[in-house]
Amino acid sequence: MSDTGDSWYVALLGLAESFRQANNIKECVRCLTAVFSFSPPPVIVARTHLQLGNILHTKTNNQDLAKQHLSQAWYISQPLQGIDEVKFEAASLLAKVHDGAGDQAGGKD
C-alpha cells in the first residue's frame, strides 16, 4: 500500500477496530463495509470480506451473511498470489459455519 493513496483503508480499519473493541459490532461492520465503496484492489476486498465474515460469525447470529462474506473472501483470493492465509482462514471459518448450521455436506465443499 502507498503511504498516501490508501490512508482511507488504514483509517477505516482503525475505526472498525475501535468499534469492535467497544463491542459496537454494528458500527464495526459499517466501517468495514465502507471499504468496498472505494473500489479497492482484490487483495483488500478479499481481506475485508474475511474480516466481515469472521466478525459476523463470532459476534452475531447472522450466520448466512457471515457465510456469504467468507465465501466471497475464498473465491476472490483463489487466483491471487501471496494471500494464502486468507484462503485458508476463509475455508476454515466456512467449514465451521456450515458445521454449526448442521450442514456437514456444505462444510466439505
Side-chain angles (χ1 to χ4, degrees), residues 67 91-109:
K67 195 183 312 182
S92 175
L93 286 170
L94 267 171
K96 288 179 184 176
V97 171
H98 281 286
D99 190 42
D103 181 12
Q104 293 172 349
K108 295 177 184 173
D109 286 350

Side-chain angles (χ1 to χ4, degrees), residues 15-30:
L15 194 55
E17 179 60 13
S18 66
F19 282 127
R20 187 193 64 76
Q21 288 177 351
N23 208 31
N24 187 343
I25 303 307
K26 180 180 178 181
E27 293 302 322
C28 175
V29 168
R30 185 178 288 181

Side-chain angles (χ1 to χ4, degrees), residues 14-78:
L15 194 55
E17 179 60 13
S18 66
F19 282 127
R20 187 193 64 76
Q21 288 177 351
N23 208 31
N24 187 343
I25 303 307
K26 180 180 178 181
E27 293 302 322
C28 175
V29 168
R30 185 178 288 181
C31 287
L32 290 173
T33 303
V35 168
F36 302 127
S37 66
F38 288 89
S39 300
V43 170
I44 291 176
V45 172
R47 287 185 191 279
T48 304
H49 278 297
L50 176 61
Q51 289 172 307
L52 281 163
N54 190 8
I55 288 168
L56 290 166
H57 171 61
T58 58
K59 303 286 187 181
T60 73
N61 293 323
N62 198 341
Q63 298 304 298
D64 287 338
L65 189 56
K67 195 183 312 182
Q68 289 175 9
H69 281 291
L70 293 169
S71 293
Q72 286 180 305
W74 189 83
Y75 283 114
I76 292 167
S77 68
Q78 289 308 299

